mmCIF file of all heavy atoms in Angstrom:
data_model
loop_
_atom_site.group_PDB
_atom_site.id
_atom_site.type_symbol
_atom_site.label_atom_id
_atom_site.label_comp_id
_atom_site.label_asym_id
_atom_site.label_seq_id
_atom_site.Cartn_x
_atom_site.Cartn_y
_atom_site.Cartn_z
ATOM 1 N N ASN A 247 -23.315 -11.558 -10.911
ATOM 2 C CA ASN A 247 -24.319 -11.738 -9.875
ATOM 3 C C ASN A 247 -23.614 -12.134 -8.585
ATOM 4 O O ASN A 247 -22.601 -12.835 -8.605
ATOM 5 C CB ASN A 247 -25.308 -12.840 -10.261
ATOM 6 C CG ASN A 247 -26.146 -12.456 -11.463
ATOM 7 O OD1 ASN A 247 -26.734 -11.387 -11.466
ATOM 8 N ND2 ASN A 247 -26.162 -13.303 -12.486
ATOM 9 N N VAL A 248 -24.155 -11.679 -7.479
ATOM 10 C CA VAL A 248 -23.587 -12.054 -6.191
ATOM 11 C C VAL A 248 -24.180 -13.405 -5.817
ATOM 12 O O VAL A 248 -25.282 -13.483 -5.297
ATOM 13 C CB VAL A 248 -23.898 -10.992 -5.122
ATOM 14 C CG1 VAL A 248 -23.231 -11.355 -3.807
ATOM 15 C CG2 VAL A 248 -23.426 -9.625 -5.575
ATOM 16 N N GLN A 249 -23.438 -14.463 -6.104
ATOM 17 C CA GLN A 249 -23.917 -15.815 -5.871
ATOM 18 C C GLN A 249 -22.962 -16.550 -4.941
ATOM 19 O O GLN A 249 -21.858 -16.103 -4.671
ATOM 20 C CB GLN A 249 -24.034 -16.574 -7.194
ATOM 21 C CG GLN A 249 -25.022 -15.945 -8.166
ATOM 22 C CD GLN A 249 -24.998 -16.632 -9.506
ATOM 23 O OE1 GLN A 249 -24.071 -17.365 -9.818
ATOM 24 N NE2 GLN A 249 -26.034 -16.401 -10.302
ATOM 25 N N ASN A 250 -23.404 -17.692 -4.454
ATOM 26 C CA ASN A 250 -22.571 -18.539 -3.600
ATOM 27 C C ASN A 250 -21.960 -17.728 -2.465
ATOM 28 O O ASN A 250 -20.743 -17.632 -2.323
ATOM 29 C CB ASN A 250 -21.466 -19.193 -4.431
ATOM 30 C CG ASN A 250 -22.022 -20.042 -5.539
ATOM 31 O OD1 ASN A 250 -23.026 -20.704 -5.359
ATOM 32 N ND2 ASN A 250 -21.364 -20.016 -6.685
ATOM 33 N N GLN A 251 -22.824 -17.136 -1.671
ATOM 34 C CA GLN A 251 -22.373 -16.217 -0.635
ATOM 35 C C GLN A 251 -21.883 -16.945 0.619
ATOM 36 O O GLN A 251 -21.862 -16.381 1.705
ATOM 37 C CB GLN A 251 -23.510 -15.256 -0.284
ATOM 38 C CG GLN A 251 -23.944 -14.408 -1.457
ATOM 39 C CD GLN A 251 -25.200 -13.613 -1.160
ATOM 40 O OE1 GLN A 251 -25.710 -13.655 -0.044
ATOM 41 N NE2 GLN A 251 -25.711 -12.915 -2.144
ATOM 42 N N ASP A 252 -21.494 -18.203 0.478
ATOM 43 C CA ASP A 252 -21.049 -18.961 1.632
ATOM 44 C C ASP A 252 -19.722 -18.460 2.163
ATOM 45 O O ASP A 252 -19.396 -18.654 3.322
ATOM 46 C CB ASP A 252 -20.949 -20.451 1.276
ATOM 47 C CG ASP A 252 -20.064 -20.703 0.071
ATOM 48 O OD1 ASP A 252 -20.104 -19.882 -0.858
ATOM 49 O OD2 ASP A 252 -19.339 -21.712 0.066
ATOM 50 N N PHE A 253 -18.921 -17.827 1.305
ATOM 51 C CA PHE A 253 -17.648 -17.294 1.795
ATOM 52 C C PHE A 253 -17.341 -15.978 1.100
ATOM 53 O O PHE A 253 -17.084 -15.940 -0.098
ATOM 54 C CB PHE A 253 -16.509 -18.281 1.561
ATOM 55 C CG PHE A 253 -15.223 -17.834 2.216
ATOM 56 C CD1 PHE A 253 -15.032 -17.983 3.572
ATOM 57 C CD2 PHE A 253 -14.219 -17.237 1.467
ATOM 58 C CE1 PHE A 253 -13.850 -17.564 4.174
ATOM 59 C CE2 PHE A 253 -13.040 -16.807 2.059
ATOM 60 C CZ PHE A 253 -12.857 -16.974 3.420
ATOM 61 N N ASN A 254 -17.392 -14.898 1.870
ATOM 62 C CA ASN A 254 -17.039 -13.572 1.377
ATOM 63 C C ASN A 254 -16.502 -12.779 2.565
ATOM 64 O O ASN A 254 -17.196 -12.583 3.555
ATOM 65 C CB ASN A 254 -18.260 -12.877 0.774
ATOM 66 C CG ASN A 254 -17.887 -11.625 -0.006
ATOM 67 O OD1 ASN A 254 -16.901 -10.955 0.311
ATOM 68 N ND2 ASN A 254 -18.675 -11.295 -1.008
ATOM 69 N N LEU A 255 -15.260 -12.348 2.463
ATOM 70 C CA LEU A 255 -14.626 -11.623 3.558
ATOM 71 C C LEU A 255 -15.166 -10.199 3.704
ATOM 72 O O LEU A 255 -14.897 -9.534 4.698
ATOM 73 C CB LEU A 255 -13.109 -11.561 3.341
ATOM 74 C CG LEU A 255 -12.371 -12.888 3.441
ATOM 75 C CD1 LEU A 255 -10.929 -12.739 2.949
ATOM 76 C CD2 LEU A 255 -12.392 -13.414 4.862
ATOM 77 N N PHE A 256 -15.937 -9.768 2.721
ATOM 78 C CA PHE A 256 -16.494 -8.423 2.731
ATOM 79 C C PHE A 256 -18.024 -8.503 2.828
ATOM 80 O O PHE A 256 -18.619 -9.526 2.514
ATOM 81 C CB PHE A 256 -16.078 -7.667 1.468
ATOM 82 C CG PHE A 256 -14.591 -7.639 1.255
ATOM 83 C CD1 PHE A 256 -13.950 -8.669 0.575
ATOM 84 C CD2 PHE A 256 -13.819 -6.593 1.747
ATOM 85 C CE1 PHE A 256 -12.580 -8.657 0.384
ATOM 86 C CE2 PHE A 256 -12.451 -6.583 1.563
ATOM 87 C CZ PHE A 256 -11.827 -7.607 0.885
ATOM 88 N N LYS A 257 -18.645 -7.427 3.223
ATOM 89 C CA LYS A 257 -20.101 -7.401 3.345
ATOM 90 C C LYS A 257 -20.772 -6.986 2.034
ATOM 91 O O LYS A 257 -21.984 -6.831 1.986
ATOM 92 C CB LYS A 257 -20.513 -6.443 4.466
ATOM 93 C CG LYS A 257 -20.059 -6.887 5.847
ATOM 94 C CD LYS A 257 -20.515 -5.903 6.912
ATOM 95 C CE LYS A 257 -20.062 -6.361 8.291
ATOM 96 N NZ LYS A 257 -20.485 -5.413 9.347
ATOM 97 N N TRP A 258 -19.971 -6.819 1.013
ATOM 98 C CA TRP A 258 -20.518 -6.388 -0.268
ATOM 99 C C TRP A 258 -19.759 -7.066 -1.403
ATOM 100 O O TRP A 258 -18.686 -7.615 -1.203
ATOM 101 C CB TRP A 258 -20.439 -4.860 -0.411
ATOM 102 C CG TRP A 258 -19.037 -4.306 -0.343
ATOM 103 C CD1 TRP A 258 -18.347 -3.955 0.783
ATOM 104 C CD2 TRP A 258 -18.149 -4.064 -1.440
ATOM 105 N NE1 TRP A 258 -17.095 -3.508 0.463
ATOM 106 C CE2 TRP A 258 -16.940 -3.555 -0.892
ATOM 107 C CE3 TRP A 258 -18.247 -4.216 -2.817
ATOM 108 C CZ2 TRP A 258 -15.851 -3.203 -1.688
ATOM 109 C CZ3 TRP A 258 -17.155 -3.868 -3.612
ATOM 110 C CH2 TRP A 258 -15.977 -3.362 -3.032
ATOM 111 N N ASP A 259 -20.359 -7.022 -2.569
ATOM 112 C CA ASP A 259 -19.687 -7.497 -3.780
ATOM 113 C C ASP A 259 -20.019 -6.533 -4.905
ATOM 114 O O ASP A 259 -20.579 -5.469 -4.664
ATOM 115 C CB ASP A 259 -20.094 -8.925 -4.114
ATOM 116 C CG ASP A 259 -18.925 -9.719 -4.688
ATOM 117 O OD1 ASP A 259 -18.189 -9.148 -5.507
ATOM 118 O OD2 ASP A 259 -18.748 -10.884 -4.314
ATOM 119 N N VAL A 260 -19.653 -6.891 -6.119
ATOM 120 C CA VAL A 260 -19.872 -5.982 -7.235
ATOM 121 C C VAL A 260 -20.928 -6.530 -8.187
ATOM 122 O O VAL A 260 -21.077 -7.743 -8.337
ATOM 123 C CB VAL A 260 -18.559 -5.722 -8.018
ATOM 124 C CG1 VAL A 260 -17.612 -4.893 -7.191
ATOM 125 C CG2 VAL A 260 -17.902 -7.026 -8.442
ATOM 126 N N VAL A 261 -21.650 -5.616 -8.805
ATOM 127 C CA VAL A 261 -22.601 -5.958 -9.856
ATOM 128 C C VAL A 261 -22.301 -5.062 -11.047
ATOM 129 O O VAL A 261 -21.787 -3.951 -10.895
ATOM 130 C CB VAL A 261 -24.069 -5.769 -9.409
ATOM 131 C CG1 VAL A 261 -24.444 -6.786 -8.357
ATOM 132 C CG2 VAL A 261 -24.308 -4.352 -8.904
ATOM 133 N N SER A 262 -22.593 -5.534 -12.239
ATOM 134 C CA SER A 262 -22.380 -4.728 -13.441
ATOM 135 C C SER A 262 -23.712 -4.382 -14.073
ATOM 136 O O SER A 262 -24.654 -5.178 -14.067
ATOM 137 C CB SER A 262 -21.499 -5.490 -14.435
ATOM 138 O OG SER A 262 -22.141 -6.681 -14.841
ATOM 139 N N LYS A 263 -23.779 -3.168 -14.613
ATOM 140 C CA LYS A 263 -25.005 -2.670 -15.218
ATOM 141 C C LYS A 263 -24.673 -1.929 -16.508
ATOM 142 O O LYS A 263 -23.545 -1.463 -16.690
ATOM 143 C CB LYS A 263 -25.724 -1.715 -14.246
ATOM 144 C CG LYS A 263 -26.193 -2.375 -12.954
ATOM 145 C CD LYS A 263 -27.274 -3.408 -13.222
ATOM 146 C CE LYS A 263 -27.726 -4.093 -11.943
ATOM 147 N NZ LYS A 263 -28.764 -5.121 -12.208
ATOM 148 N N PRO A 264 -25.663 -1.804 -17.413
ATOM 149 C CA PRO A 264 -25.433 -1.010 -18.627
ATOM 150 C C PRO A 264 -25.022 0.416 -18.264
ATOM 151 O O PRO A 264 -25.304 0.898 -17.172
ATOM 152 C CB PRO A 264 -26.790 -1.040 -19.338
ATOM 153 C CG PRO A 264 -27.480 -2.242 -18.792
ATOM 154 C CD PRO A 264 -27.009 -2.377 -17.370
ATOM 155 N N LEU A 265 -24.387 1.066 -19.206
ATOM 156 C CA LEU A 265 -23.814 2.372 -18.928
ATOM 157 C C LEU A 265 -24.838 3.499 -19.075
ATOM 158 O O LEU A 265 -24.650 4.455 -19.801
ATOM 159 C CB LEU A 265 -22.631 2.627 -19.851
ATOM 160 C CG LEU A 265 -21.585 3.614 -19.330
ATOM 161 C CD1 LEU A 265 -21.071 3.176 -17.973
ATOM 162 C CD2 LEU A 265 -20.450 3.734 -20.303
ATOM 163 N N TYR A 266 -25.967 3.336 -18.404
ATOM 164 C CA TYR A 266 -26.939 4.422 -18.307
ATOM 165 C C TYR A 266 -27.787 4.173 -17.073
ATOM 166 O O TYR A 266 -27.936 3.046 -16.608
ATOM 167 C CB TYR A 266 -27.796 4.520 -19.567
ATOM 168 C CG TYR A 266 -28.719 3.352 -19.793
ATOM 169 C CD1 TYR A 266 -30.051 3.410 -19.413
ATOM 170 C CD2 TYR A 266 -28.250 2.183 -20.399
ATOM 171 C CE1 TYR A 266 -30.897 2.332 -19.619
ATOM 172 C CE2 TYR A 266 -29.089 1.105 -20.613
ATOM 173 C CZ TYR A 266 -30.414 1.187 -20.228
ATOM 174 O OH TYR A 266 -31.241 0.118 -20.421
ATOM 175 N N LEU A 267 -28.398 5.229 -16.540
ATOM 176 C CA LEU A 267 -29.160 5.101 -15.312
ATOM 177 C C LEU A 267 -30.656 4.931 -15.575
ATOM 178 O O LEU A 267 -31.328 4.168 -14.912
ATOM 179 C CB LEU A 267 -28.928 6.332 -14.420
ATOM 180 C CG LEU A 267 -27.492 6.506 -13.903
ATOM 181 C CD1 LEU A 267 -27.382 7.734 -13.041
ATOM 182 C CD2 LEU A 267 -27.072 5.287 -13.108
ATOM 183 N N ASP A 268 -31.191 5.670 -16.527
ATOM 184 C CA ASP A 268 -32.606 5.553 -16.842
ATOM 185 C C ASP A 268 -32.820 6.019 -18.273
ATOM 186 O O ASP A 268 -31.878 6.321 -18.999
ATOM 187 C CB ASP A 268 -33.457 6.362 -15.862
ATOM 188 C CG ASP A 268 -33.002 7.808 -15.755
ATOM 189 O OD1 ASP A 268 -32.733 8.412 -16.812
ATOM 190 O OD2 ASP A 268 -32.915 8.333 -14.639
#
Side-chain angles (χ1 to χ4, degrees):
N247 294 308
V248 183
Q249 299 174 344
N250 301 322
Q251 298 171 3
D252 55 323
F253 187 78
N254 192 330
L255 292 169
F256 305 87
K257 295 181 180 180
W258 60 273
D259 216 318
V260 290
V261 292
S262 62
K263 296 294 179 181
L265 205 55
Y266 67 97
L267 295 180
D268 53 44

